[in-house]
Amino acid sequence: MTLAGRSLTRIADLSDEEIRSILDRASEYAAAPRDRMDELRGRIVAAAFFEPSTRTRLSFETAAHRLGARVIGFADGGSTSSVKGESLEDTTRVLAGYGDLLVLRHPEQGAAARAAAVSDVPVVNAGDGAGEHPTQTLLDLYTMRDNLGDLEGVRVAVMGDLRYGRTVHSLVPALHRLGADVVAVPAPGLGLPDDVAGHGGGVDEVPLGEAAASCDVLYVTRVQRERMSRQESAGGSGHLVVDGDLLRRSGSRAIVMHPLPRVDEISVDVDSLPSAKYFEQARNAVPVRMSVLSHILGASP
Ligand code: NCD
């Protein structure tokens, strides 16, 4: 089984072996972080971003450039024919006629699968509403593995908005599959959806102090206000904050991760601690997305 030519719309699209292969090749790219212009020379990556993005779009672009591919696309759906009423399916068919691979971010859950169903070229989901974000999960797993070694038996607390946060919807099933233990520290009313928690037999909810004291990883997420109704958002979410004091008081040994952007759920006094890994995690996006592009576009390293 090869990943060449296949779409990646959810983490379940990848076998455990394919996940390991992507992480392994990413390690090779990270160890020799120079351009490999020959690998994807002559290829074109189309990046269609209908929702705001800093890291995902620019790390995909950097990854494509480092492999010698060129990039077309847009960072704002407001400048495209979607404002004239063009459907996602039609936009996808058109872009698939220009690029060799389509990276898509879209506010609607299921958008990447809809695009993949009509696309002649592979579609990589860069976030579909409150759905999934599988390449974020790959770089999250890479960062955990890099810091902690094998993920079997590693204890991970996912924190914050677990209901609308798509990164955890891809991460939790992947962690279960790779043998990690997952616990949840949801913001009030924002627990994991049943279909996500159900993978691997459910996820226990624990208080923040207990998670900090007992886990190897605190994976913090922001409240996704843009996905909430006005009423939900106005209700306030009583979100949780990780700060230096919490980590000291609990005697935490955990590394602290966050897909970013951070709002105020990790206080800035954590940034200078050795356990803060979120900027390292954002940097890891480049070798991991290089590896994703290389696997799907069928280049040999
Ligand atoms: C995340 C996303 O877009 O889902 N950001 C990212 O891709 N690094 C997380 C978020 O926006 O909270």
Side-chain angles (χ1 to χ4, degrees), residues 49 51-57 105 126-129 132-133 135-136 139-140 164-168 219-224 226-227 258-263 265 281-282 289:
F49 278 70
E51 249 195 357
S53 171
T54 304
R55 278 150 290 273
T56 304
R57 186 173 66 84
R105 170 167 287 192
D128 61 328
E132 288 213 28
H133 196 350
T135 63
Q136 177 71 42
L139 72 95
D140 295 341
Y164 296 108
R166 56 195 172 201
T167 66
V168 291
Y219 187 95
V220 189
T221 65
R222 83 184 161 91
V223 173
Q224 311 275 303
E226 69 272 35
R227 309 206 191 290
H258 193 306
L260 302 179
R262 152 177 67 180
V263 183
E265 54 284 336
Q281 188 183 351
R289 291 189 166 119

Side-chain angles (χ1 to χ4, degrees), residues 24-42 62-69 287 290-291 294 299-301:
D24 289 346
R25 196 179 298 179
S27 298
E28 290 169 28
Y29 289 134
R34 56 194 167 74
D35 290 353
R36 299 189 172 222
M37 305 298 282
D38 46 330
E39 280 192 41
L40 294 183
R41 189 187 300 282
T62 305
H65 288 305
R66 284 212 178 277
L67 292 169
M290 286 171 77
S291 181
S294 152
S300 49

Side-chain angles (χ1 to χ4, degrees), residues 77-96:
S79 66
T80 71
S81 285
S82 66
V83 295
K84 301 180 187 171
E86 183 167 61
S87 69
L88 172 65
E89 281 77 4
D90 283 1
T91 306
T92 299
R93 288 185 184 101
V94 171
L95 292 176

Side-chain angles (χ1 to χ4, degrees), residues 4-297:
R6 273 166 46 201
S7 288
L8 173 55
T9 64
R10 7 175 247 148
I11 198 70
D13 291 339
L14 300 173
S15 67
D16 296 358
E17 197 187 327
E18 286 163 345
I19 290 177
R20 291 201 182 90
S21 171
I22 290 170
L23 303 189
D24 289 346
R25 196 179 298 179
S27 298
E28 290 169 28
Y29 289 134
R34 56 194 167 74
D35 290 353
R36 299 189 172 222
M37 305 298 282
D38 46 330
E39 280 192 41
L40 294 183
R41 189 187 300 282
R43 303 302 190 95
I44 293 182
V45 171
F49 278 70
F50 289 92
E51 249 195 357
S53 171
T54 304
R55 278 150 290 273
T56 304
R57 186 173 66 84
L58 294 175
S59 61
F60 260 117
E61 287 201 18
T62 305
H65 288 305
R66 284 212 178 277
L67 292 169
R70 281 168 293 175
V71 182
I72 59 165
F74 49 86
D76 175 6
S79 66
T80 71
S81 285
S82 66
V83 295
K84 301 180 187 171
E86 183 167 61
S87 69
L88 172 65
E89 281 77 4
D90 283 1
T91 306
T92 299
R93 288 185 184 101
V94 171
L95 292 176
Y98 302 156
D100 299 300
L101 177 147
L102 174 61
V103 179
L104 176 71
R105 170 167 287 192
H106 196 277
E108 286 168 38
Q109 187 162 349
R114 277 170 52 204
V118 299
S119 178
D120 289 336
V121 301
V123 174
V124 176
N125 182 5
D128 61 328
E132 288 213 28
H133 196 350
T135 63
Q136 177 71 42
T137 288
L138 292 167
L139 72 95
D140 295 341
L141 296 173
Y142 179 93
T143 305
M144 290 180 201
R145 205 174 79 158
D146 205 33
N147 281 281
L148 303 167
D150 189 58
L151 297 181
E152 178 84 44
V154 163
R155 191 168 156 89
V156 181
V158 289
M159 283 182 53
D161 182 351
L162 311 181
R163 178 165 175 200
Y164 296 108
R166 56 195 172 201
T167 66
V168 291
H169 298 169
S170 298
L171 180 61
V172 169
L175 287 170
H176 278 146
R177 279 169 47 190
L178 298 176
D181 291 328
V182 184
V183 294
V185 188
L190 298 174
L192 278 174
D194 287 343
D195 60 324
V196 177
H199 286 274
V203 173
D204 289 338
E205 293 188 1
V206 301
L208 176 55
E210 185 183 323
S214 69
C215 287
D216 304 298
V217 180
L218 295 176
Y219 187 95
V220 189
T221 65
R222 83 184 161 91
V223 173
Q224 311 275 303
R225 289 201 187 280
E226 69 272 35
R227 309 206 191 290
M228 295 181 175
S229 65
R230 205 165 289 194
Q231 204 181 1
E232 269 179 309
S233 188
S237 54
H239 66 262
L240 309 148
V241 175
V242 171
D243 57 19
D245 193 41
L246 167 83
L247 297 174
R248 266 188 304 278
R249 267 188 293 115
S250 61
S252 181
R253 299 166 295 105
I255 60 168
V256 181
M257 295 178 59
H258 193 306
L260 302 179
R262 152 177 67 180
V263 183
D264 52 9
E265 54 284 336
I266 299 177
S267 89
V268 291
D269 67 342
V270 177
D271 297 0
S272 55
L273 301 178
S275 56
K277 300 295 178 191
Y278 25 96
F279 293 113
E280 174 182 320
Q281 188 183 351
R283 267 197 308 278
N284 290 337
V286 173
V288 171
R289 291 189 166 119
M290 286 171 77
S291 181
V292 168
L293 293 176
S294 152
H295 275 82
I296 294 178
L297 285 172

